[in-house]
Amino acid sequence: MTIVINMRDRIDERKLRVAARLIREGKLVAFPTETVYGLGADALNEKAARRIFEAKGRPADNPLIVHIAEFSQVYELAREVPEEAKMLAKKFWPGPLTIVLPRREIVPDVTTGGLDTVAIRMPANEIALKLIKLSGRPIAAPSANISGKPSPTTAEHVADDFYGKIECIIDGGETKIGVESTVIDLTEWPPVLLRPGGLPLEEIEKVIGEVRIHPAVFGKKVDVAKSPGMKYKHYAPDAEVIVVEGPKEKVKRKIAELVKEFKEKGKRVGVIGSESYNADEFFYLGETVEEVARNLFKALRYMDKAKVDIVLAEGVEEKGLGLAVMNRLRKAAGYKIIKAD
């Protein structure tokens, strides 16, 4: 039995205390953040954290992000807190930034994917922050979707994957950003961008200077994942996804050609981007990169429900949030990319 708590219009602290009690009891609670919905459990409870992996079908070496509500909790979880972490937290927390630090022994191996580091963030969502405070626990919470599938940006998306399988879903409406947090590793120097996300890299570099981009961001395979989104297939709908990249007008011409070709082969074709190209299904992502990021996972889930065979996606410029959008699109496509040069 899954309890669904509606908090779209206002936060009911009495009901939120029910969810907080479930966290303390080692149960699973899906909740909204500003990025995507998270599937939460007590980060320091080994059995509870293991249930996240079981529910999602998540590989055991794919670490979880630990969500906190106050900066002081960082010192409970990490054995070293460099000045750069304090600078970033002061500027961007609460917000879509995850910081990787050396972990303390109090954090169980299952939560960190067996690593000696812990990924920490403070979400900019009032429901999430109150849930963490009321539970009295740091909450481990990857995205609340079946592993490998598009992340959820609404409670309905969570219910599609987990209704009847977890104890509670908190419905806080649609998320504001739509892609997961940016992950920065501060255990190396210069710091390393492990996953682009809701906070643009350019903003981070204004605060701490040069940040190296990990090759995994562009598809290089890794043996050890210090962050979610590095090692395994992510964000993919059931249909085959192809990303078309290049100058805007050439991309449009190429997608129009591909739609025609696939339809002539009897394929049911979906397009996500700025126009339909006479496809069987179309999802308009928006004019700005912020709109594209917010709508991306919703579009991929829409194509699943529409039962298309092929999804053609327009690439965007890799600046600001565009780096995160292209990272997600390329992973959703399994790096099936067509260059429209």
Side-chain angles (χ1 to χ4, degrees), residues 299-318:
L300 293 172
R301 282 181 173 262
Y302 172 86
M303 291 301 169
D304 263 352
K305 291 196 172 183
K307 304 294 184 185
V308 299
D309 301 303
I310 304 286
V311 177
L312 299 172
E314 293 178 6
V316 301
E317 190 176 6
E318 291 181 278

Side-chain angles (χ1 to χ4, degrees), residues 10 16 68 78 93 104 111 116 126-127 138 170 173 190-191 223 226 233 236 241 243 265 275-276 301 317 326 333:
R10 69 181 185 88
L16 202 54
I68 61 174
W93 278 2
R104 289 191 180 276
T111 299
D116 193 37
E126 193 175 356
I127 293 171
I170 302 172
D223 294 323
K226 295 181 79 172
K233 183 178 179 182
V241 178
V243 183
K265 294 176 181 178
E275 57 184 271
S276 71
R301 282 181 173 262
E317 190 176 6
M326 290 308 296

Side-chain angles (χ1 to χ4, degrees), residues 15-63:
K15 291 181 179 178
L16 202 54
R17 288 183 183 277
V18 173
R21 187 185 73 242
L22 290 171
I23 291 289
R24 290 195 298 274
E25 292 174 351
K27 305 296 196 298
L28 300 185
V29 176
F31 62 94
T33 76
E34 78 281 22
T35 56
V36 300
Y37 273 72
L39 182 60
D42 181 351
L44 305 184
N45 180 329
E46 183 177 346
K47 290 183 179 178
R50 197 176 304 282
R51 282 198 62 208
I52 294 175
F53 288 87
E54 292 168 354
K56 283 176 61 73
R58 183 183 180 91
D61 62 346
N62 197 6

Side-chain angles (χ1 to χ4, degrees), residues 118-136:
V118 59
I120 307 169
R121 95 171 182 102
M122 187 188 298
N125 177 285
E126 193 175 356
I127 293 171
L129 290 172
K130 280 186 176 293
L131 177 66
I132 297 164
K133 289 177 181 177
L134 289 171
S135 70

Side-chain angles (χ1 to χ4, degrees), residues 11 45 93 101 103 178 267 273 289 304 320 339:
I11 297 178
N45 180 329
W93 278 2
L101 298 170
R103 69 155 169 155
K267 299 291 186 181
V289 70
D304 263 352
K339 298 288 187 180

Side-chain angles (χ1 to χ4, degrees), residues 14 35 49 80 100 114 120 141-142 212 241 251 269 275 280 289 317:
R14 182 178 58 83
T35 56
E80 295 175 26
V100 175
I120 307 169
R212 183 170 64 86
V241 178
V251 165
V269 184
E275 57 184 271
D280 297 293
V289 70
E317 190 176 6

Side-chain angles (χ1 to χ4, degrees), residues 180 194-197 216-219 229 234-235 296 318 321-333 335:
E180 296 87 348
L194 300 180
R195 180 180 73 183
V217 170
F218 301 110
H234 283 76
Y235 323 118
L296 179 59
E318 291 181 278
L321 276 177
L323 181 62
V325 169
M326 290 308 296
N327 172 264
R328 304 310 192 270
L329 271 178
R330 288 167 179 155
K331 282 185 169 290
Y335 292 89

Side-chain angles (χ1 to χ4, degrees), residues 34-36 65 92 95-98 121 151 176-184 192-204 211 213 217 227-229 235 289-290 292-294 296-297 317-329 331:
E34 78 281 22
T35 56
V36 300
I65 291 173
F92 299 118
L97 174 66
T98 294
R121 95 171 182 102
S151 298
K176 292 180 179 179
I177 295 176
V179 292
E180 296 87 348
S181 62
T182 302
V183 182
I184 295 290
V192 182
L193 175 71
L194 300 180
R195 180 180 73 183
L199 180 65
L201 174 61
E202 295 90 336
E203 295 301 310
I204 294 168
V211 174
I213 300 178
V217 170
S227 161
Y235 323 118
V289 70
E290 289 81 12
V292 171
R294 188 161 56 247
L296 179 59
F297 290 138
E317 190 176 6
E318 291 181 278
K319 291 197 310 185
L321 276 177
L323 181 62
V325 169
M326 290 308 296
N327 172 264
R328 304 310 192 270
L329 271 178
K331 282 185 169 290

